[in-house]
Amino acid sequence: MPKPTILTVDDDPGVAASISRDLRTRYGQDYRVIRATSGAQALEVLAELALRARPVALIATDQRMPEMTGVEMLARARDITPDTKFLLLTAYADTEAAIAAINDVGLDYYLLKPWDPPTERLYPVVDDLLGDWRQAHPPDAGEVTVVGHRWSERSHEVKTFLSRNHVPYQWREIDRDEEAGRLVELAGAGPDDLPLVLVPDGQPLRAPSTLDLAGALGLRTQAEQPLYDLCIVGGGPAGLAAAVYAASEGLRAVVVEKEAPGGQAGQSASIQNYLGFPKGLSGADLAHRAVAQAARFGAEMLLARDVVALEARGPVRAVRFGDSGEVEARAVLVASGVSYRRLEGPGLADLAGRGVYYGSSASEAVQCEGDDVYVVGGANSAGQAALNFARYARRVVMVVRGARLEDTMSMYLIAQIRANDRIEVRLRSSVVAAHGDGHLASITLCEQGSAPEELPATWLFVYIGASPRTDWLGPGVARDPRGFVLTGPELLASSATTPWPLARSPYALETSTPGVFAAGDVRLDSMKRVASAVGEGAMAIHLVHQYLATT
């Protein structure tokens, strides 16, 4: 494979030589660094690279050029190389144009000149941009192969697990791909063995469980220590923030996650209102960074483990797994989050995983290219999904029960949805039935005041409500009638049947079981925002320290 290209663009020979030299010094071993002296020349270079199928990882361009500004050039470059990272070099007076370019051309970052010393001002920025590009274009893509049916629920679960855990794979559809049939024959597999997962240097996995798949891929599924200071159940933003702060402050911490790091937020194609990321970032990127940060400080992460019970054993709290095994810790943080509520109606349960899906990962949008997609829900998660699907689908129809989006969705998303010609919003509407033989073929849509109508549909993605994952907590942890965990003052003010057992008052995020805390969406009356979940996860560690100091 040829080296990916880094293209620098500047009409000033001195500046062009300087930026190219600095980039070549740091990245020349893995990237081909070339330069252009004008926007027009840069577009010619990009067209030539596209004809030769040479990937372009980064364009670093000056804003002030006489015939074509940097932003104007990047706008045209986006049509030639849509996945390239864009870095704009600006003077302080150009920052307004740079900020506008984040929305207008998808600018990834702007950097004020001069960038000396590059080790402090240039390289950290470029490291992040190239790291993100590499993550989306892994050199070993396809080492894992999944063979299955397009409309198989288990095949969908396997692909989702791989995508959300950043494991590149090749998908072979048994009904459309001759190579898929050959691989099944070579493995001696039958219909009940699908999906078939082929891993490097390993035996074929036949309809594997998530735990078996994780083990075959070398993901950690077993705890390393007999006793931890803190066990964090759930690897969403709250759990990951707690892991970072706990481990960085010297606590022996382990995170237990059933599916993949990131929780619901990890499936978001773009979180645009998270502090410090003016262009926004994907949920997968946020989760990936947080996992690396937690691991750097020494936190452990156990994947594919389904927690089914919590037990108090004197000063120790035990978290038990459904497939045997457990983790013991002096304190527990419940950050297991919420799942999307299920739609009720004929056919919807039968077609789950066969055209009807609850949530989605950002990478799933490409499979809907050229099709119509229906998105049910009116909150931010539905809006982010609709915008992501609209990049590939012919049309996206948002089905919203409420009378207006402003009641449930952030204004920045509403503005983008209204400006997108591919997105149609159906207010005061709901999906009441699904139809199809083996996979979704149509849906019944009801709009308030109108007769039900049956519409052809092969893709239905649902983002409604919140069902907390708390059944495993048992009677020792008080919850409200919907299952959300009561903590701190809410616990004392409630009429819960589980009383607070100690003379001291519970800490702010402490549950009715001393030493068991809750943070994020699983907690009653939480804000349901990524930033607030991160804040609660960090706050919980302060309270855990207080608790451990008294036991």
Side-chain angles (χ1 to χ4, degrees):
M1 290 289 292
K3 289 183 180 180
T5 295
I6 295 175
L7 174 63
T8 67
V9 190
D10 201 306
D11 66 313
D12 184 320
V15 176
S18 178
I19 186 69
S20 298
R21 181 195 64 241
D22 287 343
L23 291 174
R24 191 173 289 114
T25 298
R26 175 83 167 208
Y27 307 104
Q29 184 173 345
D30 299 315
Y31 295 86
R32 179 172 173 247
V33 180
I34 58 178
R35 67 186 183 186
T37 57
S38 69
Q41 185 184 21
L43 294 173
E44 291 176 2
V45 170
L46 291 172
E48 176 65 22
L49 291 171
L51 286 174
R52 296 164 61 191
R54 296 292 180 91
V56 180
L58 174 71
I59 299 175
T61 180
D62 188 42
Q63 165 63 0
R64 293 193 176 188
M65 295 185 290
E67 297 180 0
M68 184 187 303
T69 68
V71 171
E72 291 170 343
M73 185 275 294
L74 292 176
R76 295 171 62 178
R78 184 61 79 195
D79 294 331
I80 302 172
T81 177
D83 297 330
T84 296
K85 296 297 180 181
F86 289 170
L87 173 63
L88 189 68
L89 305 175
T90 70
Y92 183 80
D94 299 323
T95 54
E96 187 172 332
I99 292 171
I102 293 173
N103 289 329
D104 296 341
V105 302
L107 179 69
D108 293 284
Y109 203 93
Y110 68 91
L111 189 65
L112 296 179
K113 298 184 293 184
W115 55 86
D116 291 327
T119 52
E120 296 179 11
R121 300 195 57 205
L122 177 65
Y123 296 153
V125 171
V126 177
D127 284 350
D128 268 355
L129 294 177
L130 294 179
D132 291 347
W133 187 87
R134 280 290 191 187
Q135 185 178 322
H137 303 80
D140 58 347
E143 285 192 0
V144 175
T145 299
V146 181
V147 182
H149 294 284
R150 183 186 192 191
W151 302 114
S152 159
E153 182 175 11
R154 185 58 193 148
S155 292
H156 178 261
E157 291 171 353
V158 166
K159 291 189 292 180
T160 298
F161 180 83
L162 293 174
S163 296
R164 294 192 60 199
N165 283 285
H166 308 285
V167 179
Y169 68 92
Q170 287 188 358
W171 165 244
R172 299 283 188 181
E173 190 173 334
I174 192 68
D175 298 324
R176 300 185 178 186
D177 189 334
E178 291 184 6
E179 178 66 10
R182 188 183 73 84
L183 292 173
V184 168
E185 184 177 347
L186 287 173
D192 293 339
D193 295 325
L194 299 182
L196 185 70
V197 182
L198 308 177
V199 297
D201 304 320
Q203 293 297 315
L205 304 177
R206 304 165 189 269
S209 67
T210 303
L211 182 60
D212 290 340
L213 181 58
L217 294 171
L219 303 179
R220 181 176 292 174
T221 61
Q222 301 288 340
E224 291 189 348
Q225 300 185 39
L227 179 67
Y228 294 85
D229 295 314
L230 177 65
C231 175
I232 303 163
V233 181
L240 292 174
V244 169
Y245 280 89
S248 67
E249 295 174 12
L251 295 180
R252 294 169 298 170
V254 60
V255 181
V256 180
E257 169 56 46
K258 179 181 178 182
E259 296 167 356
Q264 280 193 0
Q267 301 180 57
S268 175
S270 180
I271 303 169
Q272 298 181 48
N273 58 356
Y274 192 70
L275 183 66
F277 293 85
K279 190 198 172 186
L281 75 168
S282 71
D285 188 23
L286 176 63
H288 184 71
R289 292 168 184 262
V291 168
Q293 194 173 17
R296 173 192 163 205
F297 289 122
E300 292 182 32
M301 173 80 67
L302 306 186
L303 292 174
R305 302 312 297 257
D306 187 15
V307 175
V308 298
L310 171 70
E311 294 181 3
R313 301 173 179 172
V316 170
R317 308 288 177 256
V319 169
R320 292 199 292 109
F321 304 145
D323 46 16
S324 76
E326 63 182 26
V327 167
E328 287 191 334
R330 298 169 63 202
V332 169
L333 176 64
V334 180
S336 46
V338 297
S339 57
Y340 293 113
R341 286 195 292 107
R342 299 280 161 159
L343 279 179
E344 300 292 336
L348 287 161
D350 295 336
L351 294 171
R354 297 176 171 85
V356 178
Y357 304 102
Y358 293 87
S360 65
S361 61
S363 61
E364 288 182 82
V366 68
Q367 68 183 339
C368 306
E369 186 169 7
D371 294 340
D372 289 351
V373 173
Y374 285 81
V375 172
V376 180
N380 280 9
S381 56
Q384 290 161 348
L387 288 165
N388 187 43
F389 284 121
R391 297 168 56 204
Y392 302 95
R394 183 181 65 175
R395 182 177 65 129
V396 177
V397 180
M398 293 191 68
V399 182
V400 182
R401 183 182 295 274
R404 42 183 241 144
L405 287 176
E406 286 82 353
D407 294 336
T408 52
M409 190 179 293
S410 296
M411 283 305 302
Y412 77 91
L413 287 172
I414 295 173
Q416 293 177 44
I417 287 168
R418 288 175 175 166
N420 195 310
D421 294 336
R422 293 190 181 185
I423 301 179
E424 173 188 345
V425 180
R426 300 281 297 265
L427 299 172
R428 301 184 181 89
S429 301
S430 57
V431 174
V432 297
H435 317 279
D437 183 11
H439 63 84
L440 182 67
S442 64
I443 59 174
T444 298
L445 189 68
C446 271
E447 187 171 344
Q448 186 178 328
S450 301
E453 54 181 325
E454 186 171 336
L455 302 170
T458 52
W459 303 104
L460 177 68
F461 294 89
V462 182
Y463 306 82
I464 59 169
S467 297
R469 301 173 178 175
T470 57
D471 290 345
W472 58 277
L473 290 171
V477 175
R479 287 157 282 168
D480 79 343
R482 295 178 299 163
F484 289 96
V485 178
L486 304 179
T487 57
E490 296 166 348
L491 179 64
L492 295 178
S494 74
S495 57
T497 57
T498 306
W500 175 247
L502 301 183
R504 69 166 175 85
S505 297
Y507 298 123
L509 299 179
E510 197 168 17
T511 73
S512 56
T513 297
V516 177
F517 299 81
D521 291 356
V522 75
R523 198 178 60 81
L524 179 64
D525 291 335
S526 61
M527 283 183 60
K528 308 297 186 290
R529 288 290 187 270
V530 174
S532 62
V534 169
E536 288 190 10
M539 176 182 172
I541 301 309
H542 172 70
L543 303 175
V544 167
H545 277 297
Q546 287 184 290
Y547 169 77
L548 294 179
T550 65
T551 59

